[in-house]
PDB file of all heavy atoms in Angstrom:
ATOM      1  N   ALA F  29       9.600  -9.384-163.447  1.00  0.00           N
ATOM      2  CA  ALA F  29      10.864  -9.587-162.732  1.00  0.00           C
ATOM      3  C   ALA F  29      10.747 -10.888-161.885  1.00  0.00           C
ATOM      4  O   ALA F  29      11.699 -11.617-161.787  1.00  0.00           O
ATOM      5  CB  ALA F  29      11.156  -8.365-161.824  1.00  0.00           C
ATOM      6  N   ARG F  30       9.675 -11.077-161.255  1.00  0.00           N
ATOM      7  CA  ARG F  30       9.456 -12.325-160.465  1.00  0.00           C
ATOM      8  C   ARG F  30       9.453 -13.567-161.331  1.00  0.00           C
ATOM      9  O   ARG F  30      10.063 -14.562-160.991  1.00  0.00           O
ATOM     10  CB  ARG F  30       8.063 -12.207-159.791  1.00  0.00           C
ATOM     11  CG  ARG F  30       7.896 -13.284-158.683  1.00  0.00           C
ATOM     12  CD  ARG F  30       6.586 -13.088-157.912  1.00  0.00           C
ATOM     13  NE  ARG F  30       6.668 -11.836-157.130  1.00  0.00           N
ATOM     14  CZ  ARG F  30       5.835 -10.797-157.355  1.00  0.00           C
ATOM     15  NH1 ARG F  30       4.897 -10.805-158.244  1.00  0.00           N
ATOM     16  NH2 ARG F  30       5.971  -9.660-156.630  1.00  0.00           N
ATOM     17  N   ALA F  31       8.860 -13.493-162.544  1.00  0.00           N
ATOM     18  CA  ALA F  31       8.855 -14.637-163.428  1.00  0.00           C
ATOM     19  C   ALA F  31      10.296 -14.968-163.871  1.00  0.00           C
ATOM     20  O   ALA F  31      10.710 -16.118-164.009  1.00  0.00           O
ATOM     21  CB  ALA F  31       7.942 -14.411-164.637  1.00  0.00           C
ATOM     22  N   LEU F  32      11.088 -13.920-164.189  1.00  0.00           N
ATOM     23  CA  LEU F  32      12.438 -14.153-164.623  1.00  0.00           C
ATOM     24  C   LEU F  32      13.239 -14.782-163.430  1.00  0.00           C
ATOM     25  O   LEU F  32      14.104 -15.646-163.664  1.00  0.00           O
ATOM     26  CB  LEU F  32      13.146 -12.836-164.998  1.00  0.00           C
ATOM     27  CG  LEU F  32      12.666 -12.261-166.303  1.00  0.00           C
ATOM     28  CD1 LEU F  32      13.111 -10.785-166.510  1.00  0.00           C
ATOM     29  CD2 LEU F  32      13.121 -13.088-167.474  1.00  0.00           C
ATOM     30  N   ASN F  33      12.957 -14.334-162.195  1.00  0.00           N
ATOM     31  CA  ASN F  33      13.593 -14.881-161.007  1.00  0.00           C
ATOM     32  C   ASN F  33      13.241 -16.368-160.849  1.00  0.00           C
ATOM     33  O   ASN F  33      14.117 -17.225-160.569  1.00  0.00           O
ATOM     34  CB  ASN F  33      13.208 -14.104-159.749  1.00  0.00           C
ATOM     35  CG  ASN F  33      13.953 -14.631-158.536  1.00  0.00           C
ATOM     36  OD1 ASN F  33      13.379 -15.426-157.810  1.00  0.00           O
ATOM     37  ND2 ASN F  33      15.160 -14.257-158.308  1.00  0.00           N
ATOM     38  N   LYS F  34      11.953 -16.716-161.083  1.00  0.00           N
ATOM     39  CA  LYS F  34      11.567 -18.119-160.976  1.00  0.00           C
ATOM     40  C   LYS F  34      12.224 -18.912-162.000  1.00  0.00           C
ATOM     41  O   LYS F  34      12.664 -20.059-161.735  1.00  0.00           O
ATOM     42  CB  LYS F  34      10.059 -18.181-161.137  1.00  0.00           C
ATOM     43  CG  LYS F  34       9.241 -17.734-159.923  1.00  0.00           C
ATOM     44  CD  LYS F  34       7.765 -17.822-160.148  1.00  0.00           C
ATOM     45  CE  LYS F  34       6.997 -17.316-158.992  1.00  0.00           C
ATOM     46  NZ  LYS F  34       5.524 -17.316-159.193  1.00  0.00           N
ATOM     47  N   PHE F  35      12.313 -18.401-163.201  1.00  0.00           N
ATOM     48  CA  PHE F  35      13.034 -19.211-164.321  1.00  0.00           C
ATOM     49  C   PHE F  35      14.502 -19.388-163.896  1.00  0.00           C
ATOM     50  O   PHE F  35      14.995 -20.524-164.088  1.00  0.00           O
ATOM     51  CB  PHE F  35      12.948 -18.453-165.678  1.00  0.00           C
ATOM     52  CG  PHE F  35      13.606 -19.167-166.777  1.00  0.00           C
ATOM     53  CD1 PHE F  35      12.910 -20.118-167.480  1.00  0.00           C
ATOM     54  CD2 PHE F  35      14.967 -18.910-167.044  1.00  0.00           C
ATOM     55  CE1 PHE F  35      13.564 -20.792-168.570  1.00  0.00           C
ATOM     56  CE2 PHE F  35      15.561 -19.596-168.108  1.00  0.00           C
ATOM     57  CZ  PHE F  35      14.817 -20.541-168.817  1.00  0.00           C
ATOM     58  N   GLN F  36      15.106 -18.336-163.374  1.00  0.00           N
ATOM     59  CA  GLN F  36      16.478 -18.500-162.942  1.00  0.00           C
ATOM     60  C   GLN F  36      16.652 -19.512-161.830  1.00  0.00           C
ATOM     61  O   GLN F  36      17.558 -20.323-161.905  1.00  0.00           O
ATOM     62  CB  GLN F  36      16.941 -17.094-162.445  1.00  0.00           C
ATOM     63  CG  GLN F  36      18.372 -17.056-162.120  1.00  0.00           C
ATOM     64  CD  GLN F  36      18.820 -15.636-161.709  1.00  0.00           C
ATOM     65  OE1 GLN F  36      18.016 -14.836-161.309  1.00  0.00           O
ATOM     66  NE2 GLN F  36      20.102 -15.341-161.811  1.00  0.00           N
ATOM     67  N   ALA F  37      15.748 -19.569-160.932  1.00  0.00           N
ATOM     68  CA  ALA F  37      15.893 -20.520-159.819  1.00  0.00           C
ATOM     69  C   ALA F  37      15.667 -21.916-160.364  1.00  0.00           C
ATOM     70  O   ALA F  37      16.347 -22.841-159.907  1.00  0.00           O
ATOM     71  CB  ALA F  37      14.873 -20.190-158.725  1.00  0.00           C
ATOM     72  N   LEU F  38      14.729 -22.086-161.235  1.00  0.00           N
ATOM     73  CA  LEU F  38      14.349 -23.371-161.757  1.00  0.00           C
ATOM     74  C   LEU F  38      15.457 -24.003-162.593  1.00  0.00           C
ATOM     75  O   LEU F  38      15.744 -25.196-162.544  1.00  0.00           O
ATOM     76  CB  LEU F  38      13.053 -23.308-162.614  1.00  0.00           C
ATOM     77  CG  LEU F  38      12.428 -24.560-163.042  1.00  0.00           C
ATOM     78  CD1 LEU F  38      12.001 -25.445-161.830  1.00  0.00           C
ATOM     79  CD2 LEU F  38      11.187 -24.282-163.930  1.00  0.00           C
ATOM     80  N   TYR F  39      16.179 -23.153-163.323  1.00  0.00           N
ATOM     81  CA  TYR F  39      17.192 -23.691-164.272  1.00  0.00           C
ATOM     82  C   TYR F  39      18.609 -23.258-163.844  1.00  0.00           C
ATOM     83  O   TYR F  39      19.580 -23.253-164.619  1.00  0.00           O
ATOM     84  CB  TYR F  39      16.935 -23.152-165.680  1.00  0.00           C
ATOM     85  CG  TYR F  39      15.671 -23.722-166.188  1.00  0.00           C
ATOM     86  CD1 TYR F  39      14.472 -23.036-166.225  1.00  0.00           C
ATOM     87  CD2 TYR F  39      15.637 -25.010-166.750  1.00  0.00           C
ATOM     88  CE1 TYR F  39      13.288 -23.561-166.692  1.00  0.00           C
ATOM     89  CE2 TYR F  39      14.488 -25.579-167.250  1.00  0.00           C
ATOM     90  CZ  TYR F  39      13.292 -24.884-167.242  1.00  0.00           C
ATOM     91  OH  TYR F  39      12.154 -25.422-167.647  1.00  0.00           O
ATOM     92  N   TRP F  40      18.754 -22.956-162.540  1.00  0.00           N
ATOM     93  CA  TRP F  40      20.008 -22.390-161.990  1.00  0.00           C
ATOM     94  C   TRP F  40      21.227 -23.193-162.492  1.00  0.00           C
ATOM     95  O   TRP F  40      22.211 -22.667-162.930  1.00  0.00           O
ATOM     96  CB  TRP F  40      19.976 -22.452-160.456  1.00  0.00           C
ATOM     97  CG  TRP F  40      21.107 -21.804-159.816  1.00  0.00           C
ATOM     98  CD1 TRP F  40      22.288 -22.453-159.415  1.00  0.00           C
ATOM     99  CD2 TRP F  40      21.326 -20.442-159.505  1.00  0.00           C
ATOM    100  NE1 TRP F  40      23.166 -21.561-158.878  1.00  0.00           N
ATOM    101  CE2 TRP F  40      22.607 -20.346-158.856  1.00  0.00           C
ATOM    102  CE3 TRP F  40      20.560 -19.271-159.685  1.00  0.00           C
ATOM    103  CZ2 TRP F  40      23.094 -19.088-158.475  1.00  0.00           C
ATOM    104  CZ3 TRP F  40      21.056 -18.108-159.217  1.00  0.00           C
ATOM    105  CH2 TRP F  40      22.327 -18.031-158.641  1.00  0.00           C
ATOM    106  N   SER F  41      21.181 -24.523-162.292  1.00  0.00           N
ATOM    107  CA  SER F  41      22.323 -25.320-162.611  1.00  0.00           C
ATOM    108  C   SER F  41      22.626 -25.426-164.118  1.00  0.00           C
ATOM    109  O   SER F  41      23.771 -25.777-164.463  1.00  0.00           O
ATOM    110  CB  SER F  41      22.135 -26.781-162.032  1.00  0.00           C
ATOM    111  OG  SER F  41      21.028 -27.400-162.639  1.00  0.00           O
ATOM    112  N   GLU F  42      21.668 -25.090-164.945  1.00  0.00           N
ATOM    113  CA  GLU F  42      21.877 -25.186-166.414  1.00  0.00           C
ATOM    114  C   GLU F  42      22.310 -23.903-166.971  1.00  0.00           C
ATOM    115  O   GLU F  42      22.767 -23.852-168.184  1.00  0.00           O
ATOM    116  CB  GLU F  42      20.570 -25.656-167.028  1.00  0.00           C
ATOM    117  CG  GLU F  42      20.103 -26.980-166.563  1.00  0.00           C
ATOM    118  CD  GLU F  42      18.673 -27.255-167.074  1.00  0.00           C
ATOM    119  OE1 GLU F  42      18.361 -26.799-168.157  1.00  0.00           O
ATOM    120  OE2 GLU F  42      17.974 -27.984-166.361  1.00  0.00           O
ATOM    121  N   LEU F  43      22.292 -22.774-166.206  1.00  0.00           N
ATOM    122  CA  LEU F  43      22.600 -21.444-166.783  1.00  0.00           C
ATOM    123  C   LEU F  43      24.117 -21.180-166.584  1.00  0.00           C
ATOM    124  O   LEU F  43      24.702 -21.547-165.614  1.00  0.00           O
ATOM    125  CB  LEU F  43      21.804 -20.397-166.030  1.00  0.00           C
ATOM    126  CG  LEU F  43      20.293 -20.494-166.136  1.00  0.00           C
ATOM    127  CD1 LEU F  43      19.613 -19.494-165.246  1.00  0.00           C
ATOM    128  CD2 LEU F  43      19.867 -20.197-167.623  1.00  0.00           C
ATOM    129  N   THR F  44      24.646 -20.533-167.622  1.00  0.00           N
ATOM    130  CA  THR F  44      26.026 -20.077-167.466  1.00  0.00           C
ATOM    131  C   THR F  44      26.114 -18.906-166.554  1.00  0.00           C
ATOM    132  O   THR F  44      25.089 -18.268-166.254  1.00  0.00           O
ATOM    133  CB  THR F  44      26.585 -19.672-168.885  1.00  0.00           C
ATOM    134  OG1 THR F  44      25.932 -18.503-169.313  1.00  0.00           O
ATOM    135  CG2 THR F  44      26.481 -20.812-169.889  1.00  0.00           C
ATOM    136  N   HIS F  45      27.300 -18.542-166.198  1.00  0.00           N
ATOM    137  CA  HIS F  45      27.514 -17.429-165.318  1.00  0.00           C
ATOM    138  C   HIS F  45      27.018 -16.079-165.981  1.00  0.00           C
ATOM    139  O   HIS F  45      26.325 -15.293-165.376  1.00  0.00           O
ATOM    140  CB  HIS F  45      28.999 -17.240-164.936  1.00  0.00           C
ATOM    141  CG  HIS F  45      29.302 -16.120-164.087  1.00  0.00           C
ATOM    142  ND1 HIS F  45      28.898 -16.009-162.792  1.00  0.00           N
ATOM    143  CD2 HIS F  45      29.942 -14.873-164.322  1.00  0.00           C
ATOM    144  CE1 HIS F  45      29.319 -14.830-162.257  1.00  0.00           C
ATOM    145  NE2 HIS F  45      29.934 -14.180-163.138  1.00  0.00           N
ATOM    146  N   GLU F  46      27.270 -16.004-167.322  1.00  0.00           N
ATOM    147  CA  GLU F  46      26.799 -14.844-168.071  1.00  0.00           C
ATOM    148  C   GLU F  46      25.281 -14.746-168.091  1.00  0.00           C
ATOM    149  O   GLU F  46      24.695 -13.688-168.070  1.00  0.00           O
ATOM    150  CB  GLU F  46      27.426 -14.856-169.483  1.00  0.00           C
ATOM    151  CG  GLU F  46      28.857 -14.581-169.522  1.00  0.00           C
ATOM    152  CD  GLU F  46      29.717 -15.838-169.156  1.00  0.00           C
ATOM    153  OE1 GLU F  46      29.197 -16.971-169.155  1.00  0.00           O
ATOM    154  OE2 GLU F  46      30.943 -15.605-168.873  1.00  0.00           O
ATOM    155  N   GLN F  47      24.619 -15.889-168.287  1.00  0.00           N
ATOM    156  CA  GLN F  47      23.157 -15.939-168.322  1.00  0.00           C
ATOM    157  C   GLN F  47      22.601 -15.570-166.956  1.00  0.00           C
ATOM    158  O   GLN F  47      21.623 -14.812-166.895  1.00  0.00           O
ATOM    159  CB  GLN F  47      22.677 -17.316-168.739  1.00  0.00           C
ATOM    160  CG  GLN F  47      22.941 -17.616-170.185  1.00  0.00           C
ATOM    161  CD  GLN F  47      22.698 -19.115-170.557  1.00  0.00           C
ATOM    162  OE1 GLN F  47      22.866 -20.001-169.756  1.00  0.00           O
ATOM    163  NE2 GLN F  47      22.371 -19.333-171.781  1.00  0.00           N
ATOM    164  N   GLN F  48      23.238 -16.012-165.892  1.00  0.00           N
ATOM    165  CA  GLN F  48      22.833 -15.579-164.527  1.00  0.00           C
ATOM    166  C   GLN F  48      22.902 -14.053-164.427  1.00  0.00           C
ATOM    167  O   GLN F  48      21.976 -13.464-163.900  1.00  0.00           O
ATOM    168  CB  GLN F  48      23.710 -16.244-163.450  1.00  0.00           C
ATOM    169  CG  GLN F  48      23.617 -17.726-163.417  1.00  0.00           C
ATOM    170  CD  GLN F  48      22.424 -18.220-162.663  1.00  0.00           C
ATOM    171  OE1 GLN F  48      21.585 -17.470-162.248  1.00  0.00           O
ATOM    172  NE2 GLN F  48      22.340 -19.562-162.519  1.00  0.00           N
TER     173      GLN F  48
END
Side-chain angles (χ1 to χ4, degrees):
R30 190 174 297 117
L32 289 168
N33 181 264
K34 287 179 184 177
F35 181 87
Q36 185 176 22
L38 189 62
Y39 294 98
W40 185 269
S41 63
E42 300 170 31
L43 298 171
T44 67
H45 181 70
E46 290 78 16
Q47 291 169 329
Q48 295 281 2

